[in-house]
Amino acid sequence: MELFVSEGNPHCLKVLAALEVTGVQCSVQYVNHEERVVPFLSRPTLPALLLPTGLHLFSSNAICRYLFEVSGQECSEFCNQWLEWEATDLQPALLQALYMAVLQGKGSEVSTVLQGPLKFLDQSLSKGGMPYLTGVQYPHVQQFYLSVFSEHKSVNGWFDRVASIHSCLSAAQKVLQGKGLQGMKSYMQRQPAPQSSQGRNTQPCNCNPIEVSARLSEGKRNILVTSALPYVNNVPHLGNIIGCVLSADVFSRYGRLRGWNLLFVCGTDEYGTATENKAREEGLTPQLICDKYHAVHSSIYKWFQIDFDFFGRTTTEKQTEIAQDIFWRLHKNGFLVEDTVEQLRCEQCQRFLADRFVEGICPHCKYPEARGDQCDKCGRLINAVELREPQCKVCRQTPVIRSSKHLFLDLPKLETQLEQWLEKSTSTGDWTTNAKQITRSWLRDGLKPRCITRDLLWGTPVPHPDFKEKVFYVWFDAPIGYLSITANYTDEWEKWWKNPHQVELYNFMAKDNVPFHSVVFPCSLLGAQDNYTLVSHLVATEYLNYEDTKFSKSRGVGVFGDMAKDTGIPADVWRFYLLYVRPEGQDSAFSWADMALKNNSELLNNLGNFINRAGMFVTKFFEGCVPVMELQQEDKKLLALVGWELQQYIQLMDKVKIRDALKHILNISRHGNQYIQVNEPWKNIKGGDTERQRAGTVTGVSVNIACLLSVMLMPYMPEVSQTIRNQLNAPQSCVSTMLQGNGTFVCSLCAGHRIGTVSPLFQKLEADQIEALKKRFGGQQVFDVYDA
Amino acid sequence: MALRELSSLEKYLGLKKPNKYSTQGDKKVPVLQNNNGPPMLGLATIACHLAKEAKRPELLGDTAESRAVVQQWLEYRVTKLDSCTKEDIKFILKDLNLYLQDKVYLAGNRFTVADTLMYYGIHPLIVDLAIQEKEQYVNVTRWFDHIQHYPGVRHHLPPVVVLKNRIYTSRHH
């Protein structure tokens, strides 16, 4: 007999609680929401129970009935009535309320939806005067999410009684993972919109259409996190991933644990020449190219468990709206200048040629294959019009020089304002050193007006009548993507983006993007004069190299996109290693041998070993229950040490020192291993009472440290983190409490707490496996579908 | 509608004295007035009660498993079937067709109230099916025809004609 459940699925609460209460022997399998367990149902339906005879039960109530009957407690008629009412009245209302609260952010409006059922429940409870609805089958009417809506007194009383029952608590923790209502987000996104709600369709992206109002909070820090928008056409490699989305993800997960009100947005940057050309190559429209590759990006990040609040795109109406608005404001405030630019135009292809599409003879060194922006041989920067015997790279015709009017952002005019703001931001915020240096050198070189328009088709149209056929230059337009992506997520985007006093903005990127985020974009926003939120903390990484060279898609060198998935190495291990070698102060390199080494020494032998041993001792020596702990001086010293490491971790993470903070997690498990080694609980357990007590204390302390580690690990390795808590059957409360304030290490697993099934967390990476992988990604790859 | 079903059920069960019913709310949920206790609410609940009253507990399933399956389909009837939209109909028929591929009745190997109530509930859908669609959902049609001819079940509903010969050359169902 097997029970299939999925995380974040409210229907699973009942069955898990019922399973525990009745104690029926049944294995539980956690699957994805999309898993079609029941063979004859077209839509995935969970929870589902596979009966011994091979039949499936797909109704959560029927499953509960079966479990209760099998354990000897039959359902009375009174109970039947409640179950029928629950299925016909309460469930639909609750699903609608959940939809409103979790996906639409309308948590305050759910009382109207739930009024009817709650009133009925209230009346029945107060009439009957019974502590539970029907004696034994209370879990059936399991509504943990009701805790948000508290008007009816009798319901509250009943609810509190039910909610505090252990089986209900543990079911809630398993399903909601300590995230409360938000834990159901991924499940709710896959459900069809409830019939009586107005579902507004947003844009075609990989996420389901949702509209959430991300509210600002009065008492907490409001933090807006962006990761540099990956260009849609380029398949991300490990370097891109660690530089941007992964770093931002770790910080965002951490921030939520800290109780900050945090919004993490990102998306694909889709306009520009490269997409236009790709479209031409593949015979598709640019829009279709973008649709196709946006999905590729989305699935890669999903595999890496990047927990965006929203991953959008720049090709939306909101983008046009907001970009044009900023443009007009700059124009009105006098920060745009017009100028005529001489450009090469290919009459054959009927378009102005971007620099890289012109080839000719370098005017300085006579190299015949100089490109239109830089000569590969002598390295000098040139203008395309300076090339001798220029040719259009596509059709080989000689282009002609044509004048074209363009608009320039008058950076020099905004320089003083910019410097004033920079002074404040860099001194009060957590800018990385390289970001500050790069910015300073740009300013030192002197700001020049920057062209913000281009003669292209695929881009945000310039609304000015004199520049009708032109679009915005991608570097003017792309950072505005942060705003439009947020606008596509929530109507309250201006509360985030035009609110510098209440919102702190973190920008994550690799160092080559710094000048655009610290100079050009802030100038656009300052010139637009609409109280925009400017970056408070600019976090830039150096470059990640691949082995002893650079990532190169054309030469097949390095790990790109979803190749990581094909290696069989779990996403969390990738995350761990990339974060371990995060290029912070200087460039770093990805190395297969090093990844294997770190996996085997740190994850397997240090972290995994400690946590596994702690759990195994509880299972083997104390029948699966955390023993009584009597702390002696030595134990208290360890606790103090662990507490100190925790505080360091928090101080470092607060300052986005992601790599350093990771070290403290590993320190803790190292201390833990030594502690176990010294105290030898496996020997002491065979001794007399004092020795056994010692074994108990050491085991109990260790398993509590394991619990703390699971919380600290959450930003880095979310899946492993949850697995540890599942194995320890840890209560959801521990996740939200231990990282608050300066960090407090509390005892979350008290004496008597029953843990779950312990098993190894990590696998060893063998030398031959690593050799094979290194060869595979070393440069003899065949071109695959992600070809540029 | 629900009241007529309950009355038909009573006739099938051979209950001598018909009970007193009323309805509640805009969904018209049936209510059974009970002389010696609080009123009983809900179609599935009342149907099960009637079966017990008529001393025919086997109609609710004869093993723990089949009892759970009966309740599952009763719940399906009062939730999915009763509130289905036009788009849902296709999925409902497809799922049922697959489910009934290797079953004569909905639960176990005998007739239960699940068959009765599902038959009553699905009748309006089947009535609207074209011949080709009935052939497409061949298992549902087979089960439906079997139940509508089951002695004492049909009562208030008009019979649906089901042809024995296939008219459309068989594609795979």
Side-chain angles (χ1 to χ4, degrees):
Chain A
M1 192 159 69
E2 198 155 5
L3 179 64
F4 297 89
V5 291
S6 61
E7 241 181 63
N9 178 343
H11 302 293
C12 295
L13 280 169
K14 296 180 209 168
V15 299
L16 286 172
L19 190 59
E20 224 191 276
V21 158
T22 57
V24 174
Q25 285 293 350
C26 176
S27 61
V28 180
Q29 225 190 83
Y30 282 81
V31 296
N32 288 328
H33 299 305
E34 301 90 5
E35 200 88 24
R36 286 186 48 214
V37 172
V38 186
F40 54 83
L41 292 179
S42 3
R43 295 214 186 92
T45 309
L46 289 164
L49 181 67
L50 174 60
L51 294 166
T53 52
L55 284 178
H56 285 89
L57 286 180
F58 57 82
S59 145
S60 52
N61 282 349
I63 294 174
C64 292
R65 280 177 193 269
Y66 178 74
L67 293 174
F68 272 90
E69 190 177 327
V70 157
S71 73
Q73 300 164 83
E74 272 213 50
C75 196
S76 69
E77 290 190 332
F78 199 25
C79 183
N80 274 347
Q81 182 164 300
W82 274 114
L83 289 174
E84 189 174 347
W85 175 81
E86 195 260 4
T88 53
D89 278 29
L90 187 53
Q91 259 191 50
L94 270 168
L95 281 175
Q96 198 185 339
L98 277 178
Y99 187 85
M100 287 166 75
V102 175
L103 294 187
Q104 296 182 315
K106 296 189 184 148
S108 53
E109 295 170 39
V110 297
S111 47
T112 39
V113 162
L114 291 174
Q115 209 180 48
L118 279 180
K119 215 167 91 172
F120 181 76
L121 197 50
D122 189 57
Q123 282 170 350
S124 317
L125 282 169
S126 37
K127 246 194 312 207
M130 285 165 38
Y132 297 111
L133 279 168
T134 60
V136 282
Q137 306 216 315
Y138 42 76
H140 291 245
V141 200
Q142 188 97 276
Q143 320 313 335
F144 270 68
Y145 18 94
L146 267 192
S147 65
V148 187
F149 326 122
S150 50
E151 280 129 46
H152 300 263
K153 279 183 56 186
S154 310
V155 175
N156 275 354
W158 163 82
F159 178 73
D160 285 337
R161 274 187 292 276
V162 174
S164 60
I165 294 161
H166 183 265
S167 53
C168 299
L169 275 177
S170 93
Q173 174 248 313
K174 284 183 193 133
V175 171
L176 296 175
Q177 304 295 330
K179 294 185 215 160
L181 283 180
Q182 288 305 315
M184 297 186 216
K185 194 159 88 173
S186 124
Y187 171 80
M188 290 306 297
Q189 284 173 340
R190 285 164 177 80
Q191 303 312 303
Q195 280 161 342
S196 51
S197 82
Q198 339 78 313
R200 275 221 319 269
N201 208 344
T202 53
Q203 53 176 355
C205 86
N206 222 29
C207 332
N208 283 319
I210 47 169
E211 194 201 288
V212 182
S213 77
R215 291 253 154 81
L216 276 191
S217 145
E218 287 302 317
K220 311 183 199 172
R221 271 177 89 181
N222 294 298
I223 302 222
L224 184 51
V225 177
T226 66
S227 158
L229 308 180
Y231 194 65
V232 73
N233 218 6
N234 293 333
V235 179
H237 57 64
L238 299 179
N240 302 132
I241 293 173
I242 181 58
C244 306
V245 294
L246 183 52
S247 298
D249 185 52
V250 173
F251 185 69
S252 298
R253 286 175 177 274
Y254 170 76
R256 293 187 194 109
L257 286 178
R258 288 279 275 149
W260 301 337
N261 185 26
L262 193 141
L263 184 60
F264 176 25
V265 294
C266 185
T268 38
D269 174 18
E270 304 190 348
Y271 285 130
T273 333
T275 310
E276 243 188 65
N277 290 314
K278 185 105 189 190
R280 199 170 289 127
E281 259 174 60
E282 294 199 15
L284 296 170
T285 62
Q287 183 65 57
L288 286 176
I289 293 281
C290 291
D291 290 348
K292 174 170 153 188
Y293 286 99
H294 172 87
V296 168
H297 276 266
S298 204
S299 71
I300 292 170
Y301 301 135
K302 202 168 271 178
W303 186 80
F304 275 95
Q305 308 242 36
I306 309 294
D307 194 16
F308 302 111
D309 281 295
F310 188 55
F311 185 72
R313 314 168 61 158
T314 53
T315 48
T316 65
E317 270 175 44
K318 284 272 188 248
Q319 172 74 4
T320 306
E321 220 179 274
I322 299 174
Q324 289 181 345
D325 174 60
I326 292 179
F327 169 80
W328 279 125
R329 286 176 167 273
L330 287 169
H331 188 260
K332 190 176 59 140
N333 297 333
F335 291 114
L336 295 180
V337 267
E338 198 181 293
D339 205 353
T340 313
V341 175
E342 289 199 325
Q343 290 172 239
L344 290 172
R345 183 180 165 84
C346 177
E347 295 296 328
Q348 173 93 323
C349 300
Q350 279 290 308
R351 58 190 191 124
F352 280 99
L353 296 177
D355 294 338
R356 69 174 99 169
F357 289 102
V358 190
E359 214 173 61
I361 302 177
C362 173
H364 304 289
C365 73
K366 309 284 187 277
Y367 176 63
E369 284 172 42
R371 270 189 359 250
D373 50 2
Q374 186 176 35
C375 174
D376 280 341
K377 183 143 184 266
C378 67
R380 283 203 190 70
L381 293 177
I382 47 183
N383 287 319
V385 293
E386 297 169 344
L387 284 171
R388 307 279 156 76
E389 292 179 37
Q391 281 187 337
C392 166
K393 267 191 103 155
V394 175
C395 71
R396 295 284 147 199
Q397 288 276 39
T398 309
V400 291
I401 297 183
R402 287 268 178 276
S403 310
S404 182
K405 274 197 313 192
H406 282 286
L407 283 168
F408 290 74
L409 180 59
D410 198 345
L411 292 180
K413 199 167 173 189
L414 289 156
E415 198 164 336
T416 327
Q417 258 189 69
L418 178 73
E419 285 187 346
Q420 248 177 11
W421 162 74
L422 267 177
E423 180 57 45
K424 202 171 58 149
S425 186
T426 54
S427 60
T428 55
D430 291 320
W431 287 55
T432 47
T433 317
N434 54 358
K436 290 193 271 202
Q437 276 168 357
I438 293 172
T439 308
R440 234 174 287 139
S441 68
W442 254 59
L443 287 175
R444 226 185 3 243
D445 287 348
L447 296 181
K448 297 184 218 28
R450 272 192 93 75
C451 185
I452 61 168
T453 53
R454 283 292 184 277
D455 294 286
L456 285 178
L457 297 167
W458 180 241
T460 307
V462 180
H464 193 298
D466 292 346
F467 299 88
K468 259 203 321 240
E469 302 294 306
K470 305 190 203 292
V471 301
F472 289 128
Y473 175 47
V474 68
W475 264 117
F476 170 73
D477 179 85
I480 299 178
Y482 293 138
L483 282 72
S484 74
I485 288 172
T486 312
N488 278 306
Y489 177 65
T490 168
D491 280 341
E492 305 210 356
W493 67 277
E494 285 168 312
K495 291 219 178 97
W496 291 87
W497 282 101
K498 295 187 187 174
N499 195 354
H501 296 295
Q502 280 190 294
V503 174
E504 288 174 65
L505 175 59
Y506 281 79
N507 287 150
F508 282 81
M509 68 196 75
K511 65 180 172 193
D512 54 351
N513 285 349
V514 169
F516 303 100
H517 286 80
S518 63
V519 176
V520 185
F521 186 48
C523 279
S524 305
L525 297 181
L526 284 169
Q529 290 171 2
D530 203 2
N531 197 31
Y532 283 103
T533 308
L534 299 172
V535 59
S536 329
H537 316 272
L538 211 161
V539 182
T541 55
E542 301 284 319
Y543 292 139
L544 179 75
N545 293 317
Y546 178 77
E547 295 287 345
D548 45 8
T549 174
K550 295 205 174 294
F551 287 88
S552 162
K553 189 160 13 109
S554 52
R555 287 184 289 124
V557 175
V559 180
F560 286 77
D562 68 357
M563 297 174 191
K565 188 162 47 173
D566 291 335
T567 59
I569 298 172
D572 270 9
V573 174
W574 283 100
R575 286 176 66 113
F576 172 78
Y577 182 64
L578 288 172
L579 292 163
Y580 196 97
V581 297
R582 184 172 181 256
E584 293 184 0
Q586 56 197 25
D587 290 355
S588 66
F590 172 89
S591 148
W592 283 106
D594 192 37
M595 175 148 106
L597 180 64
K598 295 294 179 288
N599 176 75
N600 297 341
S601 62
E602 296 288 3
L603 290 181
L604 193 60
N605 292 346
N606 180 8
L607 195 57
N609 185 32
F610 170 63
I611 295 175
N612 190 251
R613 280 205 291 179
M616 286 309 290
F617 292 156
V618 176
T619 309
K620 278 199 340 216
F621 304 150
F622 299 98
E623 282 137 26
C625 286
V626 176
V628 172
M629 297 166 263
E630 278 173 15
L631 301 178
Q632 320 233 316
Q633 194 59 3
E634 181 191 343
D635 310 309
K636 293 185 188 167
K637 276 209 314 227
L638 176 70
L639 293 178
L641 184 54
V642 169
W644 180 86
E645 300 277 3
L646 172 62
Q647 284 174 357
Q648 296 306 301
Y649 166 91
I650 289 181
Q651 280 175 28
L652 289 165
M653 282 295 267
D654 275 357
K655 300 263 175 246
V656 205
K657 296 275 183 271
I658 296 177
R659 198 171 164 179
D660 292 341
L662 183 54
K663 303 279 175 17
H664 289 278
I665 299 180
L666 300 172
N667 286 349
I668 291 180
S669 65
R670 218 183 322 274
H671 297 316
N673 272 324
Q674 274 173 1
Y675 175 66
I676 290 183
Q677 228 30 51
V678 164
N679 284 286
E680 300 179 317
W682 58 88
K683 276 205 194 134
N684 279 337
I685 195 67
K686 300 188 184 135
D689 280 340
T690 351
E691 282 89 16
R692 276 211 301 280
Q693 179 51 54
R694 195 73 205 115
T697 304
V698 170
T699 303
V701 168
S702 298
V703 96
N704 270 286
I705 294 177
C707 193
L708 170 68
L709 284 171
S710 82
V711 179
M712 294 169 79
L713 272 173
M714 212 283 225
Y716 296 84
M717 300 196 279
E719 218 175 299
V720 167
S721 161
Q722 187 54 47
T723 305
I724 299 172
R725 276 193 296 284
N726 287 343
Q727 292 188 6
L728 298 179
N729 213 6
Q732 64 194 65
S733 50
C734 70
V735 176
S736 41
T737 48
M738 289 206 259
L739 296 194
Q740 302 283 330
N742 293 329
T744 4
F745 176 27
V746 293
C747 174
S748 8
L749 309 176
C750 303
H753 171 90
R754 179 171 285 285
I755 67 171
T757 319
V758 175
S759 61
L761 295 167
F762 304 107
Q763 308 272 4
K764 183 163 186 214
L765 288 176
E766 301 290 351
D768 52 355
Q769 186 186 4
I770 292 299
E771 267 312 303
L773 286 167
K774 185 168 174 181
K775 203 176 258 149
R776 189 163 131 202
F777 294 105
Q780 295 98 329
Q781 277 168 314
V782 186
F783 286 167
D784 63 341
V785 74
Y786 300 135
D787 228 359
Chain B
M1 208 31 217
L3 298 191
R4 291 221 291 218
E5 291 182 52
L6 290 171
S7 147
S8 295
L9 185 57
E10 283 182 335
K11 290 201 192 95
Y12 166 79
L13 291 169
L15 287 173
K16 293 293 164 53
K17 237 180 88 177
N19 289 300
K20 283 201 75 173
Y21 298 104
S22 57
T23 62
Q24 180 174 292
D26 19 71
K27 282 199 261 177
K28 299 247 185 293
V29 181
V31 182
L32 169 61
Q33 313 287 19
N34 222 333
N35 290 331
N36 38 346
M40 190 176 279
L41 187 66
L43 177 60
T45 308
I46 297 176
C48 295
H49 168 79
L50 291 177
K52 291 225 181 90
E53 205 187 296
K55 303 225 199 316
R56 303 276 302 273
E58 73 279 2
L59 287 174
L60 300 175
D62 49 6
T63 62
E65 277 199 33
S66 57
R67 276 190 282 274
V69 173
V70 167
Q71 293 300 326
Q72 170 176 275
W73 289 110
L74 287 178
E75 184 181 294
Y76 188 90
R77 157 66 209 277
V78 296
T79 51
K80 288 232 169 45
L81 204 47
D82 281 354
S83 52
C84 74
T85 62
K86 283 196 94 107
E87 291 90 0
D88 296 333
I89 293 178
K90 213 171 33 157
F91 289 108
I92 292 175
L93 290 174
K94 185 159 166 263
D95 292 350
L96 263 181
N97 198 47
L98 209 44
Y99 178 75
L100 288 168
Q101 206 171 48
D102 57 351
K103 297 179 186 63
V104 178
Y105 300 102
L106 281 172
N109 285 321
R110 60 186 315 151
F111 180 79
T112 60
V113 289
D115 296 291
T116 319
L117 286 197
M118 278 294 285
Y119 157 68
Y120 291 151
I122 216 174
H123 186 276
L125 272 60
I126 305 290
V127 153
D128 280 342
L129 289 183
I131 294 184
Q132 185 176 22
E133 287 170 303
K134 288 210 266 276
E135 286 188 16
Q136 185 187 355
Y137 303 114
V138 63
N139 301 311
V140 177
T141 311
R142 168 194 31 91
W143 164 82
F144 185 88
D145 197 38
H146 180 65
I147 302 302
Q148 73 172 347
H149 284 112
Y150 205 89
V153 170
R154 195 165 55 78
H155 291 291
H156 65 286
L157 290 170
V160 175
V161 176
V162 171
L163 298 176
K164 300 297 182 197
N165 303 319
R166 293 189 79 111
I167 306 249
Y168 295 89
T169 48
S170 90
R171 293 174 303 133
H172 90 102
H173 17 273

